[in-house]
Amino acid sequence: MTRKKIIVANWKMNHGISDTLKFVSQLNRSVLPTEKIDVVICPPHTSLYTISVALDASEIRWGAQNCHFEDNGAFTGEVSPIFLRELGCGYVIIGHSERRKIFLENDDFIAKKVNKSIELDIIPLLCIGESQEQRDKNQTFEVVKKQLLDVLNSIIKLQPEQILIAYEPVWAIGTGKTATAEQAQEVHAFIRSVFTQKYGADFAQKIRILYGGSVHSKNVSELTSQADIDGALIGGASLEVESFREILYQVNS
Ligand code: PGA
């Protein structure tokens, strides 16, 4: 089973409208291997409309970094998934460790957001991963399985193309401390086995599981050539056009 590779840029709270436009115009001028790789850029909410227009005739996709699970209401500062759909948004990152840690999002809250995104045909990129302390205590599999099943068990009907999973060990995010290809592959294979147990082998073979945490142009190729690593979620190294473009070339090589 060959799964199309996917590279997702998570810009976090970086790049306002003018930097977004600059990035996209520079990226568009180059020839990117988008037939072989799905490329998704997730800018801050205020740049979403801009990117939707700038990428209109492009193969490059775009997504949001978060959304609420209600359509409307008294949720000051939140963004409705209905508004994202109105923009034509195709993807949304859900449950990133920064949201879990800084904004105290729990699995129940995350499950609601994943369900709502699926209902609206916005593909959620569900992030899961253990802390350094949990890894040191050999709890990686247990933690990742719980984060995954707390969400999957809440979904009534799921097709493999309706969701993406990102394995992001918290200790590797923004630290320059990448998981080795073996460490990442081991957890990815485990995540796929959780899907096999729940939905069967055919389903599990179609699920795309991305690795995230200090990915850059020098390590991306080794990581994404592992059997169960189908792409990468990239923060810091996705902010500069040159570096992001080099990552795409490396994945394609
Ligand atoms: P990083 O971030 O590539 O800067 O480690 C990854 C992420 O948080 O998604």
Side-chain angles (χ1 to χ4, degrees), residues 10 12 96 98 168 172-174 213-215 233-236:
N10 175 13
K12 309 192 181 187
H96 189 279
E98 286 150 18
E168 294 207 307
I173 297 176
S214 298
V215 176
L233 176 57
I234 304 171

Side-chain angles (χ1 to χ4, degrees), residues 7 28 32 40 46 51-52 57 64-65 80 89 94 135 139 146 194 201 204 219 223 228 234 253:
I7 297 295
N28 261 344
L32 296 175
V40 183
T46 50
I51 209 166
S52 76
Q65 297 173 18
S80 162
C89 180
I94 304 279
R135 175 161 280 265
Q139 293 170 341
K146 182 177 182 327
V194 174
N219 59 20
L223 285 159
D228 290 291
I234 304 171
S253 64

